[in-house]
Amino acid sequence: MNNLIREIVVTTKNHSTAPVFEIEFGATRAGEEDACGVLRDELAAGEEATLRWKLANVLPHDGETYPAAYFDTYATFTDATGLRWNRHGREQPQRLITDPPIPWWRKSRTMRKFSHKR
């Protein structure tokens, strides 16, 4: 018997003992341009957030495949120490490596140094 999936619920949970910030989480549908996502400023330690996604196209379901297998889920967040992380599905989070920002005091010292050269 075929069932139809019209909507899914995407959930993310902060498993750490400290808050996380700038959380973006959602899902994409494999092979389609259908996607959902949401931004949250903060999730406290142990807090959970959910997102209801009404699919653009109804998905036929054979009743045997676990429904989550049709979707790719993700979460990107900043931890309490300021490090940025990305997680796909149930895999372990991977640290996002970016160039660190230049501290304001280094910017102002560099600007003064160049402005005094003549």
Side-chain angles (χ1 to χ4, degrees), residues 66 73 87-92:
Y66 186 58
T73 58
R87 181 177 186 174
H88 286 279
R90 296 190 178 269
E91 296 174 8
Q92 287 297 313

Side-chain angles (χ1 to χ4, degrees), residues 9 15 18 24 34 38 42 46 49-50 59 67 74 93 97 103 113 118:
V9 175
H15 293 279
E24 178 183 1
D34 203 2
V38 69
E42 179 179 346
T50 60
L59 175 66
Y74 68 90
I97 307 296
K113 186 168 128 184
R118 296 198 191 252

Side-chain angles (χ1 to χ4, degrees), residues 44 53 59 63 84-85 89-90 95 98-99 111 113:
W53 178 20
L59 175 66
R84 197 85 175 129
W85 299 86
R90 296 190 178 269
R95 183 167 169 214
T98 60
D99 291 333
M111 291 164 77
K113 186 168 128 184

Side-chain angles (χ1 to χ4, degrees), residues 8 10 26-32 34-36 53 67-75 87-89:
I8 66 167
V10 181
T28 58
R29 190 166 153 193
E32 303 234 352
D34 203 2
C36 72
W53 178 20
Y70 297 115
F71 303 93
D72 297 314
T73 58
Y74 68 90
R87 181 177 186 174
H88 286 279

Side-chain angles (χ1 to χ4, degrees), residues 7 9 16 33 44 67 70 86 101 106 108 114 118:
E7 180 179 85
V9 175
S16 74
E33 293 196 22
Y70 297 115
N86 189 31
R106 274 190 61 201
S108 62
F114 287 119
R118 296 198 191 252

Side-chain angles (χ1 to χ4, degrees), residues 4-9 51-55 58-59 71:
L4 298 175
I5 299 174
R6 299 175 193 285
E7 180 179 85
I8 66 167
V9 175
L51 165 65
R52 294 186 87 70
W53 178 20
K54 185 174 175 133
L55 301 175
V58 174
L59 175 66
F71 303 93

Side-chain angles (χ1 to χ4, degrees), residues 10-49:
V10 181
T11 303
T12 191
K13 182 175 183 176
N14 178 3
H15 293 279
S16 74
T17 57
V20 294
F21 307 94
E22 302 168 330
I23 307 101
E24 178 183 1
F25 73 99
T28 58
R29 190 166 153 193
E32 303 234 352
E33 293 196 22
D34 203 2
C36 72
V38 69
L39 294 172
R40 288 276 306 256
D41 291 333
E42 179 179 346
L43 275 181
E47 186 179 7
E48 193 173 89

